[in-house]
Amino acid sequence: MSERVRVMLSEEEVDKRIKEIGDQISKDYEGKQVHLVCVLKGGSFFMCELAKRIDVPVSLDFMSVSSYGSETKSSGVVKIVKDLDEPLKDKDVLVVEDIVDSGRTLSYLLEMLRDRGPRSLRLCTLLDKPERRVVDVHVDYTGFQIPDEFVVGYGLDYDQKYRNLPYIGVVELD
Ligand code: IMP
Ligand code: MG
């Protein structure tokens, strides 16, 4: 069986949208410093591109979580594999994610980060699959709402592959 990737969102479309979100964030955080928290590994490609498009002062931190569950279905119980290097107290924190699916991972994570006392806490995701939502999560910035299909590229993987694709695609088996 061979795998092919069908393009869902082209590199140009994704880049254009990231620039728009960057402009919006720059307006919303005018006069402030925004502290981007990247959820590894998926959020890393989006975060780098987004950070370049923000023109207020930016600081970055990274965390890695694993949800107990299979690759394609998260349980919502999140284990911190790598924690942030810096405290969030009094920072304007913007969590940057690749995709919100069931919402379980994010709702757990946001609650945990809120306990650390940031001045503000918002969520930015490149992709959102609203049809799949099980737990309510407030998303402040969304790149694209997409249908319920398993996507890869721009940081998103299928079995650790395809993260490096510069577009968003759907894996097709034939
Ligand atoms: P949630 O807790 O169900 O919202 O899970 C979100 C996580 O599941 C994301 O951060 C991704 O790592 C993974 N995920 C969900 N949907 C996809 C997809 O279509 N492609 C690749 N990874 C996905
Ligand atoms: Mg993720």
Side-chain angles (χ1 to χ4, degrees):
M1 208 158 47
S2 67
E3 287 172 20
R4 301 189 300 121
V5 180
R6 165 170 54 86
V7 178
M8 179 189 272
L9 297 163
S10 70
E11 181 171 4
E12 291 71 27
E13 286 175 277
V14 176
D15 288 351
K16 180 169 171 281
R17 184 69 188 123
I18 293 177
K19 188 168 184 305
E20 289 169 0
I21 300 174
D23 288 344
Q24 186 62 51
I25 290 171
S26 303
K27 284 201 190 90
D28 294 351
Y29 287 83
E30 206 182 326
K32 296 178 183 161
Q33 171 164 328
V34 60
H35 188 65
L36 302 182
V37 165
C38 172
V39 186
L40 294 169
K41 302 170 187 163
S44 59
F45 288 70
F46 176 41
M47 190 223 238
C48 292
E49 292 306 310
L50 181 64
K52 290 193 284 184
R53 302 299 186 182
I54 296 174
D55 61 16
V56 296
V58 168
S59 50
L60 311 173
D61 207 346
F62 299 85
M63 73 188 303
S64 181
V65 299
S66 76
S67 61
Y68 295 99
S70 66
E71 262 298 300
T72 51
K73 190 172 177 299
S74 72
S75 63
V77 182
V78 173
K79 187 176 90 175
I80 298 180
V81 178
K82 181 221 173 291
D83 205 345
L84 297 169
D85 291 336
E86 291 166 53
L88 297 183
K89 185 119 189 69
D90 300 329
K91 292 191 171 83
D92 290 303
V93 175
L94 181 59
V95 175
V96 181
E97 252 287 24
D98 48 4
I99 190 164
V100 184
D101 187 34
S102 71
R104 288 188 173 107
T105 310
L106 259 301
S107 88
Y108 187 95
L109 194 67
L110 289 172
E111 214 171 290
M112 191 176 68
L113 298 180
R114 191 166 286 119
D115 285 346
R116 299 185 185 187
R119 185 183 305 125
S120 65
L121 181 64
R122 288 184 178 172
L123 172 62
C124 177
T125 184
L126 179 60
L127 304 173
D128 186 2
K129 289 194 225 172
E131 286 168 49
R132 299 259 306 166
R133 199 72 90 258
V134 174
V135 181
D136 201 28
V137 176
H138 179 76
V139 184
D140 299 280
Y141 304 96
T142 305
F144 302 91
Q145 292 199 337
I146 59 166
D148 181 10
E149 287 188 277
F150 193 81
V151 288
V152 295
Y154 236 95
L156 289 148
D157 73 303
Y158 171 61
D159 209 8
Q160 296 305 322
K161 287 184 298 187
Y162 304 118
R163 289 193 197 274
N164 58 316
L165 296 179
Y167 55 86
I168 300 293
V170 178
V171 180
E172 292 179 337
L173 305 172
D174 50 24

